[in-house]
Every structure is written in C-alpha cells, then in structure tokens.
Amino acid sequence: SAVISQKPSRDICQRGTSLTIQCQVDSQVTMMFWYRQQPGQSLTLIATANQGSEATYESGFVIDKFPISRPNLTFSTLTVSNMSPEDSSIYLCSAWTSTDTQYFGPGTRLTVL
Amino acid sequence: GQQLNQSPQSMFIQEGEDVSMNCTSSSIFNTWLWYKQDPGEGPVLLIALYKAGELTSNGRLTAQFGITRKDSFLNISASIPSDVGIYFCAGRMNNNAGNMLTFGGGTRLMVKP
C-alpha cells in the first residue's frame, strides 16, 4: 500500500490569491494524480502529474489555473491560482502503485471567500 | 466520455441488514476498485478486482468483477453503524488511452442503529 499525506489539510483564502497544496507519498509510485471533489459529488480528475515533464490536464482544466509540479517519484504540488469562490472544493492527491492499486490522500478542503 | 452508473444513489437501512450496490459501464474495464469515503476524509480503498469473474472478500465486504467486464457489485453483510459513508466504484482500462480511473457517482449509506 501507499500512505499519502497532504498539506494543508484545509485553508480559507481570499479571492484573487493562490494556494499551493503539497502531496507526499511514502514510497515511489508510477503515477500521481490530482482530483477535485465538490461537496456531495464524485471525484473529478484535474490532471496527471508527470515526473520531469508537464502535467497532462483533463478537459476543462488548464495549466495557468492549476499549475502542477512533480520533481520526483514521491512528491507533487498543485497550485490553485487566482482563486474565486467557485474554486471552493476538496482537492485530493492520488497515486497509482506498482501493485496496480490507487490510493488517495486525506484531501485539502479549500474555502475561497 | 465513458461513464459509470452506480446504484443506488443512497440507502437507509437497519443495523444488521445486508447491503448491495453495483456499478455498470458502457465500456470494458480491466480493473475495478471499491472505495469508502467518510466525511472530511479521502477515499479509502476497500477491495481491488483484476479478473473477470473474480470474487474477493474483505471481512464483511464482498465484491465481484462481472464476467462481461462492464460491471461490478459490492455487498456488505450484517451492517453496523460505522459502515455509514459514501461508497464509490472506480474502473480502469489499463491502456494508452485510459490509465485513469473513472468513478461512479457514489452510494450514500446510512445505517439506523
């Protein structure tokens, strides 16, 4: 299995500011992902974080709004840029392991005022 | 894009009752995963399925990978109050076009003591 931690666990931010969320996995993993989850909803994939190259974004998500870094096989960051209240959500880091299973971090609960 | 239909959307049952939920897809998957999410937490992996027809148990939970590879079910026997939460199915195609998980809409389980 993989243990995934995220920082911060929650934050309240002002409109127009940016927040960077950190994700740390306790072992090297093949793939890392970032998801968004609105209250009461299912999970929506934002992007796949690629090690050493640009992230692969899903339809509706762009790099300028959600820049992602993945400097090594155990760490990634997601930045939510120029935030608006519509960005209020839970952001989840996830990792696909060599045992063909996918694990999730505890999430970052973001509120934008 | 592909979709997973998860049903029921919610269930309100008496403690001790058995629970069954399922997911169906218009596409074939090579992996099915079942998760449980508690409020304020990230999804926790319950069961992973890798072969058509596979039946796997984890305590009181049993899940099966459908023969057609387009469906899966999760059963919970003798429910207890701590089973309360949202259960998600997720499928993965494992090919160049689809290494990402597709999630069902979730089943919200409520257990009456």
Side-chain angles (χ1 to χ4, degrees), chain A residues 33-36 43-48 58-59 61, chain B residues 100-101:
Chain A
F33 307 93
W34 287 97
Y35 289 81
R36 184 169 73 183
L43 288 75
T44 300
L45 180 64
I46 297 172
T48 302
E58 297 301 303
S59 176
F61 298 97
Chain B
M100 294 76 69
L101 285 181

Side-chain angles (χ1 to χ4, degrees), chain B residues 25-46:
Chain B
S25 169
S26 57
S27 303
I28 290 174
F29 289 109
N30 292 322
T31 302
W32 283 95
L33 304 173
W34 284 91
Y35 294 87
K36 179 185 182 226
Q37 188 174 27
D38 292 327
E41 304 288 331
V44 173
L45 182 67
L46 299 174

Side-chain angles (χ1 to χ4, degrees), chain A residues 37 42 45 96 100-102 106, chain B residues 35 37 42 50 92 100-101 104:
Chain A
Q37 186 180 29
S42 188
L45 180 64
W96 186 270
D100 262 355
T101 45
Q102 187 161 334
Chain B
Y35 294 87
Q37 188 174 27
Y50 302 104
R92 187 179 192 236
M100 294 76 69
L101 285 181

Side-chain angles (χ1 to χ4, degrees), chain B:
Chain B
Q2 56 192 307
Q3 294 185 350
L4 281 184
N5 296 310
Q6 185 171 350
S7 64
Q9 288 187 340
S10 63
M11 303 179 73
F12 190 29
I13 63 170
Q14 193 77 35
E15 181 178 0
E17 288 183 354
D18 295 343
V19 172
S20 185
M21 59 192 78
N22 70 85
C23 277
T24 59
S25 169
S26 57
S27 303
I28 290 174
F29 289 109
N30 292 322
T31 302
W32 283 95
L33 304 173
W34 284 91
Y35 294 87
K36 179 185 182 226
Q37 188 174 27
D38 292 327
E41 304 288 331
V44 173
L45 182 67
L46 299 174
I47 292 179
L49 302 160
Y50 302 104
K51 282 173 50 177
E54 180 181 354
L55 183 72
T56 298
S57 293
N58 177 8
R60 292 179 295 106
L61 279 61
T62 301
Q64 184 157 30
F65 193 141
I67 286 290
T68 65
R69 293 163 60 195
K70 293 184 177 182
D71 63 312
S72 178
F73 72 74
L74 174 70
N75 288 343
I76 305 172
S77 62
S79 59
I80 59 178
S82 62
D83 290 334
V84 166
I86 303 177
Y87 293 79
F88 290 101
C89 65
R92 187 179 192 236
M93 294 175 68
N94 291 12
N95 58 31
N96 288 337
N99 269 323
M100 294 76 69
L101 285 181
T102 299
F103 279 84
T107 295
R108 183 181 297 273
L109 179 63
M110 294 159 279
V111 179
K112 185 177 180 182

Side-chain angles (χ1 to χ4, degrees), chain A residues 2-3 8 10 15 22 26 31 39 48-49 51 55 61-62 68 70-71 75-76 79 81 83 86 100 103-104 109:
Chain A
V3 177
R10 60 178 60 230
R15 180 195 300 259
Q22 298 181 3
D26 69 342
M31 300 179 79
T48 302
Q51 194 243 335
F61 298 97
V62 295
I68 287 171
R70 189 178 173 194
F75 185 79
S76 178
T79 299
S81 303
M83 289 183 285
E86 292 71 36
D100 262 355
Y103 297 92
F104 285 84
R109 185 178 297 271

